[in-house]
Amino acid sequence: MALDNTSTTTATPGYVQPEIDVPALSAVLDGEYAAIRGLVRTNLSRYASVLEEAEELDLDAFRERVREIVVEMAATGQTGMGFPASYGGGDDVGASIAAFETLAFGDLSVLVKVGVQFGLFGGAILHLGTRRHHDAHLPRLITGELMGCFAMTETGHGSNVQALGTVARYDAARQEFVITTPGEEARKDYIGNAARHAELAVVFAQLEVAGESHGVHAFVVPVRIGGEPAPGVHIEDDGRKMGLNGVDNGRLRFDGVRVPREALLNRFADVSPEGVYESSIDNPHRRFFTMLGTLVQGRVSIAGAGIGISKVALTVATRYAVRRRQFTAASDAEEQVLLDYGLHQRRLLPLIARTYALHFAQDVVRSELHDVFSGITDDAESRRRLESRAAGLKALATWHATGVVQECREACGGAGYLAVNRFAALKADSDVFTTFEGDNHVLLQLVAKGLLTDQASAFEDLDQAGMVRFVTGLAVETVLERASVHKLLERVRDLLPGGDEWDREAGLLDSEYQLAMVRFREEHMLAGLARRIKSGTDQKRDPGEVFSQVQDHVVALARAHVERLVTEAFVEKVRAMPEGDEKAALALLCDLFALSTIEADRAWFMEHGRLTVQRSKAISREVNDLCRKVRPLAVDLVDAWGIPSEMLRAPDLVG
């Protein structure tokens, strides 16, 4: 069955359909990292058999196969791009993220194993340790010879890292730290690499020196010696999971495990041989968040992986939709291909547009990460902006992936339910992305907290109650002025109901109109949230209770903020491109993304005076028209993502 990438539907009269040069659009998407992405694609094709092995091998055999592939990929240089060249790495943080994004086209157990080994474990050694740790571990870690794990999460404390129960007490007489798990809730849980392969663990524990607690710090702790659990280390296997069964997640408990003083990862704090605690950062909260901030790379990586997963699902579903025929649209016609139906276009094409939008937003965050970690823009404001954007984009990108996989599976009918067609593995393996590297709802609360208390302030020092008190002490207008990152406050006032009618008269395809709408939504939600918090505290209610009762508003604000950033990234990308068919095609997608975003929240815009009933209907008509215009481009748009054919693994669906 041949692909039918033509459309029987018609777009606006006089409209000139662009024609996409797929390699040229791929070059735009791959950007400056085309070479490393090409290497990853080659490796994915080389190890394509892992997709079948995930179903055919038993648990232990599949885990070993995944480990072998990870080590063999490491030998190509693919996984070490973010480490210093002096230790065998590539000295390019941006390239390491681009490689990870591309690896998401393949088996996700391999992806997560790479993330645990080189991102979490390796990243902690690199960013929290100093030269003594780098010299001791990085050369063998980068090759995969030394496998490790990242032991932060506990059974009783997942997102609340500051409250971890594991304790590391300093014994000055022996110049050692004693690592102890005081109870079942403090055991390290769901730890990738722990059940079978890790020799070392980076363990996060409450540091106690001379009876005084100094908060959470990280330690390098041997967990296996000669393949067997190290003395005092108890290891359990988490067993089979919903997915990602090539990753050996496990539980760790420590029964008075002694490690030398030098085991403390001491970039930000140290303990002298005599037992004197020293840190260049006096404030313990700021020190804690500075340590966690160095690990932001994980969230940026997971956001990129979520986008990659969406691309795989949409490629399969789109290519199927131009092959599969169902029903006749006219009595004398042959059955019509699925993608010529308006409903099918509505199901898939806005998702393609949103995936492109997230791709370009990810480009922005990856560049910011590279600049911060390479020392190009390493200042406090840049780091806070990066942390906020990474948290927010991770949430939106992984929720997007979960929704896309489900919609695409349904769009492929019964065929999509067959394991050979990737959806079973994608669904099972990607579901956890919404909760690891930070639960999405918690991450969005962090984003909103930054908006309320200003990116330039020391908001990381504030817990929820402290943040409420902080906001209460400001006039609402002051909150808006401080947090108006895009400096649009005056324009937003001009757009208030009863004021300027510009937004009701502007063309729907005017990017300035689209940007004004998402910016207005964010500003209005921010003002409303500040007022709700202030009202609650003016009534002398408990600050924690006040925050709890506005959490729905908090998450809505954060979503609106991140969607504004995504929209801006897409608009700026289109504006910067040279004239031509690729720019015209991306402009269609940008309009489709922006208007479908407004349409999806039309109730809010109507409630707040930004949409009339007539204009709301006009937006829906425009979205339908944009879908008809994008329809002939659909296969080229998904092909431009460059997913190796071996990774689609759906011959009956994609041809």
Side-chain angles (χ1 to χ4, degrees), residues 177-197:
F177 293 102
V178 183
I179 315 291
T180 302
T181 303
E184 284 300 298
E185 288 196 349
R187 70 182 180 185
K188 300 298 181 180
D189 212 345
Y190 326 119
I191 309 301
N193 272 1
R196 289 289 184 274
H197 298 140

Side-chain angles (χ1 to χ4, degrees), residues 376-444:
I376 298 171
T377 57
D378 191 7
D379 58 87
E381 184 175 353
S382 295
R383 282 186 172 269
R384 290 190 182 99
R385 182 173 62 247
L386 169 62
E387 289 163 15
S388 175
R389 288 193 171 192
L393 190 60
K394 184 269 180 186
L396 261 63
T398 54
W399 271 329
H400 177 66
T402 297
V404 163
V405 170
Q406 179 64 27
E407 190 65 52
C408 290
R409 204 294 299 160
E410 292 184 29
C412 292
Y417 201 63
L418 301 179
V420 71
N421 293 328
R422 284 294 314 261
F423 290 114
L426 286 176
K427 194 175 176 67
D429 290 344
S430 69
D431 195 76
V432 74
F433 282 49
T434 59
T435 48
F436 73 15
E437 286 299 306
D439 177 278
N440 286 352
H441 287 94
V442 174
L443 292 181
L444 288 184

Side-chain angles (χ1 to χ4, degrees), residues 345-631:
Q345 293 172 11
R346 269 284 196 157
R347 294 175 70 182
L348 296 184
L349 302 185
L351 296 179
I352 292 175
R354 191 174 183 86
T355 303
Y356 266 81
L358 291 167
H359 174 104
F360 293 123
Q362 173 74 1
D363 282 349
V364 174
V365 176
R366 187 196 323 106
S367 295
E368 290 183 355
L369 177 79
H370 179 83
D371 290 349
V372 166
F373 279 72
S374 301
I376 298 171
T377 57
D378 191 7
D379 58 87
E381 184 175 353
S382 295
R383 282 186 172 269
R384 290 190 182 99
R385 182 173 62 247
L386 169 62
E387 289 163 15
S388 175
R389 288 193 171 192
L393 190 60
K394 184 269 180 186
L396 261 63
T398 54
W399 271 329
H400 177 66
T402 297
V404 163
V405 170
Q406 179 64 27
E407 190 65 52
C408 290
R409 204 294 299 160
E410 292 184 29
C412 292
Y417 201 63
L418 301 179
V420 71
N421 293 328
R422 284 294 314 261
F423 290 114
L426 286 176
K427 194 175 176 67
D429 290 344
S430 69
D431 195 76
V432 74
F433 282 49
T434 59
T435 48
F436 73 15
E437 286 299 306
D439 177 278
N440 286 352
H441 287 94
V442 174
L443 292 181
L444 288 184
Q445 290 180 68
L446 294 176
V447 172
K449 186 170 75 166
L451 293 173
L452 280 166
T453 57
D454 180 26
Q455 297 287 4
S457 77
F459 71 84
E460 69 270 22
D461 293 345
L462 305 174
D463 58 13
Q464 291 183 356
M467 184 200 68
V468 171
R469 286 190 292 270
F470 179 92
V471 175
T472 303
L474 298 173
V476 173
E477 288 300 311
T478 305
V479 173
L480 292 179
E481 294 284 3
R482 289 170 60 87
S484 185
V485 180
H486 40 77
K487 309 301 180 189
L488 269 176
L489 193 59
E490 292 304 319
R491 172 179 278 184
V492 168
R493 286 179 180 141
D494 291 341
L495 295 178
L496 289 174
D500 191 348
E501 295 293 314
W502 169 82
D503 67 321
R504 300 187 187 190
E505 300 169 0
L508 297 179
L509 303 183
D510 180 349
S511 58
E512 286 298 327
Y513 164 74
Q514 297 161 4
L515 290 171
M517 290 289 278
V518 295
R519 288 166 173 167
F520 172 85
R521 180 178 59 170
E522 178 186 347
E523 291 281 6
H524 197 288
M525 285 184 173
L526 180 59
L529 179 58
R531 291 188 183 101
R532 287 183 69 187
I533 291 175
K534 187 162 176 57
S535 173
T537 53
D538 284 349
Q539 297 170 27
K540 309 302 182 186
R541 288 158 50 201
D542 178 75
E545 178 190 353
V546 171
F547 187 86
S548 178
Q549 292 185 354
V550 299
Q551 279 180 306
D552 58 332
H553 199 148
V554 167
V555 171
L557 165 62
R559 275 182 175 269
H561 169 70
V562 181
E563 282 195 332
R564 188 262 297 174
L565 293 176
V566 172
T567 307
E568 288 179 343
F570 204 170
V571 169
E572 289 166 10
K573 181 65 179 182
V574 172
R575 287 176 177 174
M577 288 186 66
E579 295 300 324
D581 281 5
E582 281 69 49
K583 178 172 183 172
L586 289 183
L588 288 174
L589 284 182
C590 190
D591 287 336
L592 179 55
F593 164 70
L595 291 183
S596 58
T597 297
I598 295 169
E599 182 189 45
D601 208 10
R602 72 167 86 197
W604 188 93
F605 286 107
M606 293 177 78
E607 287 174 355
H608 295 85
R610 298 281 38 91
L611 276 183
T612 62
V613 172
Q614 293 78 12
R615 197 159 179 82
S616 175
K617 292 179 178 179
I619 286 176
S620 292
R621 289 193 297 271
E622 193 68 64
V623 169
N624 287 336
D625 188 54
L626 286 165
C627 284
R628 289 190 288 272
K629 292 174 179 176
V630 171
R631 156 61 182 104

Side-chain angles (χ1 to χ4, degrees), residues 17 22 66 69 94 133 191 243 253 318 377 448 497 499 620 632 646:
Q17 184 70 46
V22 173
V66 168
I69 291 173
H133 307 104
I191 309 301
R253 287 183 292 115
T318 301
T377 57
S620 292
E646 299 91 340

Side-chain angles (χ1 to χ4, degrees), residues 186-349:
R187 70 182 180 185
K188 300 298 181 180
D189 212 345
Y190 326 119
I191 309 301
N193 272 1
R196 289 289 184 274
H197 298 140
E199 295 180 43
L200 294 181
V202 171
V203 177
F204 288 80
Q206 302 285 352
L207 171 61
E208 291 186 8
V209 181
E212 182 179 356
S213 176
H214 294 280
V216 174
H217 290 65
F219 304 81
V220 179
V221 181
V223 292
R224 279 186 181 81
I225 299 174
E228 297 298 322
V233 177
H234 303 272
I235 303 176
E236 298 177 38
D237 196 324
D238 277 319
R240 282 196 171 272
K241 308 179 293 292
M242 183 187 295
L244 297 176
N245 283 303
V247 182
D248 51 315
N249 293 82
R251 302 183 179 103
L252 300 172
R253 287 183 292 115
F254 304 95
D255 184 12
V257 176
R258 289 183 171 269
V259 294
R261 185 182 65 88
E262 292 77 12
L264 172 65
L265 292 174
N266 64 333
R267 177 179 174 186
F268 299 108
D270 208 348
V271 175
S272 72
E274 298 77 21
V276 177
Y277 180 79
E278 304 162 338
S279 175
S280 58
I281 306 173
D282 292 334
N283 186 300
H285 294 290
R286 187 172 295 120
R287 182 167 60 242
F288 171 76
F289 280 98
T290 299
M291 287 192 290
L292 289 195
T294 63
L295 306 175
V296 69
Q297 182 172 330
R299 288 174 182 164
V300 178
S301 298
I302 294 302
I307 297 165
I309 291 162
S310 301
K311 291 174 180 177
V312 175
L314 282 164
T315 298
V316 173
T318 301
R319 292 178 70 86
Y320 181 67
V322 297
R323 289 166 51 84
R324 179 76 156 90
R325 293 182 180 274
Q326 186 81 286
F327 301 109
T328 54
S331 59
D332 58 348
E334 66 176 333
E335 288 189 300
Q336 186 164 300
V337 296
L338 294 180
L339 201 56
D340 282 344
Y341 288 102
L343 178 59
H344 216 77
Q345 293 172 11
R346 269 284 196 157
R347 294 175 70 182
L348 296 184
L349 302 185

